[in-house]
Amino acid sequence: MTNRCVFHVALLLCFSTTALSRSYRLLRLQQNRSSMACQKLLTHLNGRPESCIRDRMDFEVPEEIKLPQQLQKEDAAFIIYEMLHNVLEIFTRDLSNTGWDEAIIRSLFVQVHQQMDRLRTTLAGQLEEVNLTWGNVMTTLQLKSYYWRIIRYLKDKEYSSCAWTVVCVEILRNFSFINRLTDFFQK
């Protein structure tokens, strides 16, 4: 009887691991597709960045984002979620000086929200109860500081058209980092 119970538990663990693995593979495909759509939308917004070259700024992307070490799938998902959340927060600022097409902004919001929803669904509560390690805490703090610098820059430049162009280029870079982090879902 005990062997039968152990067999059932082992079988259940095997199926749940397989299902979670497939879920991450599907998430990776969906995230990559959605990130590419966001990059395309941002490219449409960005007009002529070369005209704002004097306003360029190094916002100092955290090294953990540029060159991530070996991450767990959950850690990568958590970092991506935080990045997407902050991108949305930036684009809720004063866009009046940009002259951007509102339909493109709405499409960008929809894509980012869909990515966040997929992450939430796949992790099923792990985002709220993430196993915070010192590395996760430091990465989260560095991310918040990075996005704070972007928001501070926009405020200092009074949300000018060139400031938004510079920020748009930076957010475009963010999606390439997100794509790199999404690759951890296949491991």
Side-chain angles (χ1 to χ4, degrees):
M1 183 72 173
T2 305
N3 287 341
R4 190 172 170 175
C5 188
V6 170
F7 175 72
H8 286 297
V9 169
L11 199 55
L12 180 62
L13 285 172
C14 181
F15 284 135
S16 65
T17 303
T18 303
L20 190 57
S21 177
R22 285 187 180 155
S23 179
Y24 272 106
R25 273 185 258 153
L26 178 60
L27 178 63
R28 180 174 175 256
L29 292 172
Q30 292 170 331
Q31 291 293 108
N32 280 336
R33 195 174 315 123
S34 190
S35 284
M36 295 301 281
C38 288
Q39 287 173 310
K40 191 174 184 178
L41 290 167
L42 286 167
T43 301
H44 287 303
L45 287 178
N46 214 14
R48 297 178 40 174
E50 64 277 356
S51 65
C52 298
I53 205 109
R54 62 180 163 71
D55 290 306
R56 267 188 12 198
M57 169 86 171
D58 180 7
F59 296 105
E60 301 173 24
V61 177
E63 287 299 315
E64 294 80 7
I65 305 306
K66 286 195 297 192
L67 302 168
Q69 303 303 326
Q70 294 291 22
L71 291 174
Q72 298 295 317
K73 293 173 189 176
E74 296 82 8
D75 294 335
F78 178 73
I79 291 168
I80 292 168
Y81 186 88
E82 282 294 311
M83 291 176 75
L84 293 170
H85 174 76
N86 283 287
V87 165
L88 278 179
E89 196 170 301
I90 287 170
F91 278 99
T92 59
R93 306 288 165 167
D94 182 2
L95 299 171
S96 61
N97 293 330
T98 62
W100 289 341
D101 183 346
E102 289 183 31
I104 293 175
I105 298 294
R106 277 193 301 277
S107 294
L108 179 66
F109 273 47
V110 167
Q111 288 293 328
V112 171
H113 276 289
Q114 286 176 346
Q115 287 187 51
M116 291 173 70
D117 289 344
R118 282 192 293 267
L119 286 164
R120 252 189 309 251
T121 300
T122 301
L123 293 175
Q126 291 180 25
L127 285 176
E128 290 82 20
E129 301 171 16
V130 73
N131 182 16
L132 289 177
T133 64
W134 182 247
N136 285 347
V137 171
M138 290 306 296
T139 301
T140 301
L141 290 175
Q142 289 169 348
L143 269 175
K144 289 191 181 300
S145 179
Y146 164 71
Y147 288 108
W148 180 85
R149 286 189 294 274
I150 292 173
I151 291 169
R152 184 81 247 148
Y153 171 80
L154 281 169
K155 284 180 183 176
D156 290 347
K157 295 286 186 171
E158 299 175 352
Y159 301 96
S160 71
S161 178
C162 271
W164 272 112
T165 298
V166 168
V167 167
C168 195
V169 168
E170 187 69 15
I171 299 303
L172 194 54
R173 284 182 60 212
N174 275 223
F175 280 99
S176 67
F177 297 135
I178 287 172
N179 287 340
R180 206 174 302 152
L181 288 166
T182 302
D183 288 341
F184 282 96
F185 294 164
Q186 76 184 20
K187 295 180 179 179

